[in-house]
PDB file of all heavy atoms in Angstrom:
ATOM      1  N   LEU M 198     -15.488 -20.376  13.340  1.00 91.00           N
ATOM      2  CA  LEU M 198     -14.161 -20.590  12.746  1.00 91.00           C
ATOM      3  C   LEU M 198     -13.652 -19.296  12.103  1.00 91.00           C
ATOM      4  O   LEU M 198     -12.509 -18.891  12.314  1.00 91.00           O
ATOM      5  CB  LEU M 198     -14.208 -21.719  11.715  1.00 91.00           C
ATOM      6  CG  LEU M 198     -12.880 -22.037  11.040  1.00 91.00           C
ATOM      7  CD1 LEU M 198     -11.883 -22.568  12.053  1.00 91.00           C
ATOM      8  CD2 LEU M 198     -13.055 -23.047   9.919  1.00 91.00           C
ATOM      9  N   ALA M 199     -14.539 -18.624  11.345  1.00 94.00           N
ATOM     10  CA  ALA M 199     -14.140 -17.380  10.688  1.00 94.00           C
ATOM     11  C   ALA M 199     -13.765 -16.327  11.726  1.00 94.00           C
ATOM     12  O   ALA M 199     -12.805 -15.568  11.554  1.00 94.00           O
ATOM     13  CB  ALA M 199     -15.261 -16.866   9.798  1.00 94.00           C
ATOM     14  N   PHE M 200     -14.502 -16.294  12.822  1.00 94.00           N
ATOM     15  CA  PHE M 200     -14.243 -15.342  13.906  1.00 94.00           C
ATOM     16  C   PHE M 200     -12.849 -15.586  14.501  1.00 94.00           C
ATOM     17  O   PHE M 200     -12.049 -14.663  14.652  1.00 94.00           O
ATOM     18  CB  PHE M 200     -15.322 -15.505  14.980  1.00 94.00           C
ATOM     19  CG  PHE M 200     -15.225 -14.530  16.112  1.00 94.00           C
ATOM     20  CD1 PHE M 200     -15.636 -13.215  15.950  1.00 94.00           C
ATOM     21  CD2 PHE M 200     -14.745 -14.925  17.349  1.00 94.00           C
ATOM     22  CE1 PHE M 200     -15.555 -12.309  16.998  1.00 94.00           C
ATOM     23  CE2 PHE M 200     -14.654 -14.029  18.400  1.00 94.00           C
ATOM     24  CZ  PHE M 200     -15.069 -12.727  18.222  1.00 94.00           C
ATOM     25  N   THR M 201     -12.527 -16.857  14.814  1.00 91.00           N
ATOM     26  CA  THR M 201     -11.207 -17.156  15.381  1.00 91.00           C
ATOM     27  C   THR M 201     -10.105 -16.896  14.371  1.00 91.00           C
ATOM     28  O   THR M 201      -9.032 -16.407  14.752  1.00 91.00           O
ATOM     29  CB  THR M 201     -11.079 -18.630  15.819  1.00 91.00           C
ATOM     30  OG1 THR M 201     -12.203 -19.345  15.364  1.00 91.00           O
ATOM     31  CG2 THR M 201     -10.979 -18.759  17.300  1.00 91.00           C
ATOM     32  N   LEU M 202     -10.347 -17.238  13.095  1.00 92.00           N
ATOM     33  CA  LEU M 202      -9.311 -17.007  12.082  1.00 92.00           C
ATOM     34  C   LEU M 202      -8.934 -15.539  12.037  1.00 92.00           C
ATOM     35  O   LEU M 202      -7.757 -15.175  11.974  1.00 92.00           O
ATOM     36  CB  LEU M 202      -9.813 -17.446  10.699  1.00 92.00           C
ATOM     37  CG  LEU M 202      -9.810 -18.941  10.391  1.00 92.00           C
ATOM     38  CD1 LEU M 202     -10.490 -19.194   9.051  1.00 92.00           C
ATOM     39  CD2 LEU M 202      -8.394 -19.474  10.375  1.00 92.00           C
ATOM     40  N   SER M 203      -9.961 -14.675  12.071  1.00 95.00           N
ATOM     41  CA  SER M 203      -9.711 -13.238  11.996  1.00 95.00           C
ATOM     42  C   SER M 203      -9.032 -12.734  13.260  1.00 95.00           C
ATOM     43  O   SER M 203      -8.084 -11.948  13.211  1.00 95.00           O
ATOM     44  CB  SER M 203     -11.024 -12.503  11.753  1.00 95.00           C
ATOM     45  OG  SER M 203     -10.875 -11.141  12.021  1.00 95.00           O
ATOM     46  N   LEU M 204      -9.515 -13.208  14.411  1.00 93.00           N
ATOM     47  CA  LEU M 204      -8.972 -12.764  15.694  1.00 93.00           C
ATOM     48  C   LEU M 204      -7.501 -13.141  15.837  1.00 93.00           C
ATOM     49  O   LEU M 204      -6.725 -12.457  16.484  1.00 93.00           O
ATOM     50  CB  LEU M 204      -9.782 -13.429  16.817  1.00 93.00           C
ATOM     51  CG  LEU M 204      -9.968 -12.675  18.117  1.00 93.00           C
ATOM     52  CD1 LEU M 204     -10.563 -11.316  17.853  1.00 93.00           C
ATOM     53  CD2 LEU M 204     -10.862 -13.467  19.052  1.00 93.00           C
ATOM     54  N   ASP M 205      -7.119 -14.259  15.223  1.00 92.00           N
ATOM     55  CA  ASP M 205      -5.792 -14.827  15.389  1.00 92.00           C
ATOM     56  C   ASP M 205      -4.798 -14.344  14.334  1.00 92.00           C
ATOM     57  O   ASP M 205      -3.606 -14.558  14.473  1.00 92.00           O
ATOM     58  CB  ASP M 205      -5.907 -16.352  15.294  1.00 92.00           C
ATOM     59  CG  ASP M 205      -5.166 -17.037  16.423  1.00 92.00           C
ATOM     60  OD1 ASP M 205      -4.890 -16.355  17.419  1.00 92.00           O
ATOM     61  OD2 ASP M 205      -4.869 -18.233  16.297  1.00 92.00           O
ATOM     62  N   ASP M 206      -5.313 -13.723  13.274  1.00 94.00           N
ATOM     63  CA  ASP M 206      -4.435 -13.436  12.142  1.00 94.00           C
ATOM     64  C   ASP M 206      -3.461 -12.297  12.417  1.00 94.00           C
ATOM     65  O   ASP M 206      -3.857 -11.213  12.819  1.00 94.00           O
ATOM     66  CB  ASP M 206      -5.278 -13.091  10.910  1.00 94.00           C
ATOM     67  CG  ASP M 206      -4.406 -12.502   9.830  1.00 94.00           C
ATOM     68  OD1 ASP M 206      -3.588 -13.255   9.298  1.00 94.00           O
ATOM     69  OD2 ASP M 206      -4.518 -11.293   9.554  1.00 94.00           O
ATOM     70  N   LEU M 207      -2.182 -12.572  12.180  1.00 95.00           N
ATOM     71  CA  LEU M 207      -1.181 -11.526  12.309  1.00 95.00           C
ATOM     72  C   LEU M 207      -0.616 -11.135  10.948  1.00 95.00           C
ATOM     73  O   LEU M 207      -0.498  -9.949  10.626  1.00 95.00           O
ATOM     74  CB  LEU M 207      -0.037 -12.007  13.218  1.00 95.00           C
ATOM     75  CG  LEU M 207       1.232 -11.151  13.205  1.00 95.00           C
ATOM     76  CD1 LEU M 207       0.970  -9.791  13.818  1.00 95.00           C
ATOM     77  CD2 LEU M 207       2.361 -11.844  13.937  1.00 95.00           C
ATOM     78  N   VAL M 208      -0.320 -12.144  10.113  1.00 95.00           N
ATOM     79  CA  VAL M 208       0.430 -11.883   8.894  1.00 95.00           C
ATOM     80  C   VAL M 208      -0.357 -11.038   7.891  1.00 95.00           C
ATOM     81  O   VAL M 208       0.112  -9.980   7.454  1.00 95.00           O
ATOM     82  CB  VAL M 208       0.891 -13.215   8.257  1.00 95.00           C
ATOM     83  CG1 VAL M 208       1.522 -12.966   6.907  1.00 95.00           C
ATOM     84  CG2 VAL M 208       1.877 -13.919   9.168  1.00 95.00           C
ATOM     85  N   VAL M 209      -1.568 -11.480   7.543  1.00 96.00           N
ATOM     86  CA  VAL M 209      -2.357 -10.745   6.556  1.00 96.00           C
ATOM     87  C   VAL M 209      -2.682  -9.348   7.082  1.00 96.00           C
ATOM     88  O   VAL M 209      -2.592  -8.361   6.352  1.00 96.00           O
ATOM     89  CB  VAL M 209      -3.644 -11.523   6.197  1.00 96.00           C
ATOM     90  CG1 VAL M 209      -4.520 -10.714   5.275  1.00 96.00           C
ATOM     91  CG2 VAL M 209      -3.297 -12.854   5.562  1.00 96.00           C
ATOM     92  N   ALA M 210      -3.018  -9.255   8.381  1.00 95.00           N
ATOM     93  CA  ALA M 210      -3.344  -7.950   8.951  1.00 95.00           C
ATOM     94  C   ALA M 210      -2.133  -7.019   8.925  1.00 95.00           C
ATOM     95  O   ALA M 210      -2.268  -5.829   8.660  1.00 95.00           O
ATOM     96  CB  ALA M 210      -3.864  -8.106  10.377  1.00 95.00           C
ATOM     97  N   SER M 211      -0.923  -7.568   9.163  1.00 94.00           N
ATOM     98  CA  SER M 211       0.271  -6.710   9.144  1.00 94.00           C
ATOM     99  C   SER M 211       0.477  -6.087   7.775  1.00 94.00           C
ATOM    100  O   SER M 211       0.928  -4.949   7.674  1.00 94.00           O
ATOM    101  CB  SER M 211       1.521  -7.514   9.490  1.00 94.00           C
ATOM    102  OG  SER M 211       1.416  -8.052  10.764  1.00 94.00           O
ATOM    103  N   PHE M 212       0.173  -6.853   6.712  1.00 94.00           N
ATOM    104  CA  PHE M 212       0.334  -6.304   5.368  1.00 94.00           C
ATOM    105  C   PHE M 212      -0.719  -5.248   5.067  1.00 94.00           C
ATOM    106  O   PHE M 212      -0.423  -4.216   4.483  1.00 94.00           O
ATOM    107  CB  PHE M 212       0.226  -7.426   4.321  1.00 94.00           C
ATOM    108  CG  PHE M 212       1.523  -8.142   4.068  1.00 94.00           C
ATOM    109  CD1 PHE M 212       1.772  -9.373   4.638  1.00 94.00           C
ATOM    110  CD2 PHE M 212       2.491  -7.583   3.255  1.00 94.00           C
ATOM    111  CE1 PHE M 212       2.966 -10.040   4.399  1.00 94.00           C
ATOM    112  CE2 PHE M 212       3.690  -8.233   3.015  1.00 94.00           C
ATOM    113  CZ  PHE M 212       3.930  -9.467   3.594  1.00 94.00           C
ATOM    114  N   THR M 213      -1.979  -5.515   5.446  1.00 94.00           N
ATOM    115  CA  THR M 213      -3.066  -4.682   4.951  1.00 94.00           C
ATOM    116  C   THR M 213      -3.495  -3.593   5.926  1.00 94.00           C
ATOM    117  O   THR M 213      -4.406  -2.838   5.631  1.00 94.00           O
ATOM    118  CB  THR M 213      -4.288  -5.543   4.600  1.00 94.00           C
ATOM    119  OG1 THR M 213      -4.608  -6.355   5.726  1.00 94.00           O
ATOM    120  CG2 THR M 213      -4.004  -6.435   3.418  1.00 94.00           C
ATOM    121  N   THR M 214      -2.862  -3.518   7.093  1.00 92.00           N
ATOM    122  CA  THR M 214      -3.296  -2.528   8.071  1.00 92.00           C
ATOM    123  C   THR M 214      -2.752  -1.135   7.741  1.00 92.00           C
ATOM    124  O   THR M 214      -1.875  -0.985   6.891  1.00 92.00           O
ATOM    125  CB  THR M 214      -2.856  -2.932   9.483  1.00 92.00           C
ATOM    126  OG1 THR M 214      -3.524  -2.088  10.411  1.00 92.00           O
ATOM    127  CG2 THR M 214      -1.357  -2.780   9.645  1.00 92.00           C
ATOM    128  N   GLY M 215      -3.330  -0.167   8.399  1.00 86.00           N
ATOM    129  CA  GLY M 215      -2.875   1.206   8.216  1.00 86.00           C
ATOM    130  C   GLY M 215      -3.063   1.944   9.521  1.00 86.00           C
ATOM    131  O   GLY M 215      -3.328   1.331  10.551  1.00 86.00           O
ATOM    132  N   PRO M 216      -2.964   3.270   9.487  1.00 83.00           N
ATOM    133  CA  PRO M 216      -3.112   4.043  10.725  1.00 83.00           C
ATOM    134  C   PRO M 216      -4.468   3.781  11.385  1.00 83.00           C
ATOM    135  O   PRO M 216      -5.478   3.697  10.706  1.00 83.00           O
ATOM    136  CB  PRO M 216      -3.039   5.499  10.247  1.00 83.00           C
ATOM    137  CG  PRO M 216      -2.434   5.442   8.891  1.00 83.00           C
ATOM    138  CD  PRO M 216      -2.726   4.105   8.322  1.00 83.00           C
TER     139      PRO M 216
END
Side-chain angles (χ1 to χ4, degrees):
Chain M
L198 180 65
F200 184 76
T201 9
L202 282 173
S203 165
L204 212 55
D205 228 18
D206 168 68
L207 167 67
V208 173
V209 175
S211 299
F212 274 101
T213 53
T214 191

